[in-house]
Amino acid sequence: MSAALTWRVARLAGRRVETPTAHTLLLDVPGWPGHLPGQHLDLRLTAADGYQAARSYSLAAPAAGNRIEVTVQRVPDGEVSPYLVDVYAEGDPVEVRGPVGGWFVWRTDQAAPVLLVAGGSGVVPLAAMVRARRAAGSPAPFRLIHSVRTPADALYADELRRRARDDPGLDVAYVYTREAPADWPGGPHRIGAADLTRHGWPPDRTPLCYVCGPTGFVEAVADLLVGLGHPAGRVRTERFGPTG
């Protein structure tokens, strides 16, 4: 069995509160084989009666040895996320398996411009790419467009604001769908072609495009990008539905 298919016991080393409903978990995983930005893992919980529940979570940052990060958004009535956000304590075990996925990844030796488009918590694997770019000192120019319901729902907002200020070649823009800051141009709206044109790359720059979020969002943005002239083969997508 390959290392990526092996279930390993991870333990919680710490956490960061990102929003009232989302926490980043710092996990120590002995023997972790490493991963690429954009990959994910499977996480499994086992109840006292033997019942098991597993979910997939994107890896939020490059590995630091055997320490990895995942950001978990609490889903009402979920089987896994409420436990991880509200109950899971330092030193407690969970099982993880990974890394998983080889298509929706960015490699630090790629020099082409990159367009990242996130819907809600779909920003997690895209933030991993932003962090990996910085860690590697990559000159590849990045543009991130993050669509969120309200400013309070934006994951990593302070970090991304700081990186956009301090990391040459990184731009970050937001689209708010329900509530925007009072002085925000355009007001609340769903992401459209105008946003992708204003904040993204023109097709003649042949960027690699990564789109992640709920299924409907991903399909709509991918169609918009292709409609704007981006080759379908350079639009990579990762989608998720309502899971625990």
Side-chain angles (χ1 to χ4, degrees):
M1 182 178 294
S2 72
L5 297 178
T6 301
W7 286 103
R8 303 174 186 275
V9 175
R11 295 188 182 275
L12 183 65
R15 68 172 64 231
R16 294 193 303 270
V17 177
E18 304 291 355
T19 72
T21 60
H23 290 191
T24 293
L25 308 180
L26 312 179
L27 301 175
D28 285 335
V29 191
W32 182 253
H35 60 268
L36 296 171
Q39 290 187 301
H40 60 276
L41 56 71
D42 297 324
L43 185 151
R44 184 169 70 183
L45 300 176
T46 302
D49 62 2
Y51 176 76
Q52 293 184 319
R55 296 290 184 271
S56 294
Y57 290 102
S58 295
L59 290 148
N66 289 328
R67 179 161 293 180
I68 60 173
E69 299 183 15
V70 296
T71 299
V72 178
Q73 181 85 46
R74 186 196 302 112
V75 177
D77 301 321
E79 286 188 306
V80 174
S81 64
Y83 172 83
L84 294 175
V85 172
D86 299 325
V87 179
Y88 188 42
E90 288 193 28
D92 285 352
V94 294
E95 291 179 284
V96 298
R97 179 174 64 184
V100 181
W103 168 247
F104 193 80
V105 299
W106 178 75
R107 292 175 168 81
T108 56
D109 60 354
Q110 296 173 184
V114 173
L115 173 60
L116 309 172
V117 188
S121 60
V123 75
V124 175
L126 307 186
M129 298 178 190
V130 169
R131 292 162 172 162
R133 172 187 180 271
R134 172 68 173 183
S138 167
F142 270 39
R143 292 182 178 177
L144 167 64
I145 306 172
H146 191 188
S147 174
V148 293
R149 293 177 179 179
T150 74
D153 295 313
L155 294 173
Y156 319 132
D158 290 341
E159 177 192 352
L160 290 173
R161 187 179 302 111
R162 183 181 70 252
R163 289 187 182 278
R165 181 194 67 206
D166 297 340
D167 293 2
L170 171 65
D171 293 313
V172 178
Y174 287 93
V175 173
Y176 300 101
T177 61
R178 293 191 181 178
E179 176 189 328
D183 58 349
W184 200 258
H189 64 277
R190 292 187 180 277
I191 194 167
D195 301 297
L196 297 173
T197 299
R198 183 181 305 114
H199 303 299
W201 297 104
D204 60 10
R205 291 292 304 273
T206 61
L208 276 171
C209 304
Y210 297 85
V211 186
C212 186
T215 297
F217 172 89
V218 169
E219 291 176 350
V221 171
D223 287 345
L224 287 170
L225 288 170
V226 172
L228 288 170
H230 294 273
R234 295 188 72 78
V235 179
R236 302 185 179 187
T237 61
E238 182 93 327
R239 64 199 72 198
F240 54 81
T243 69

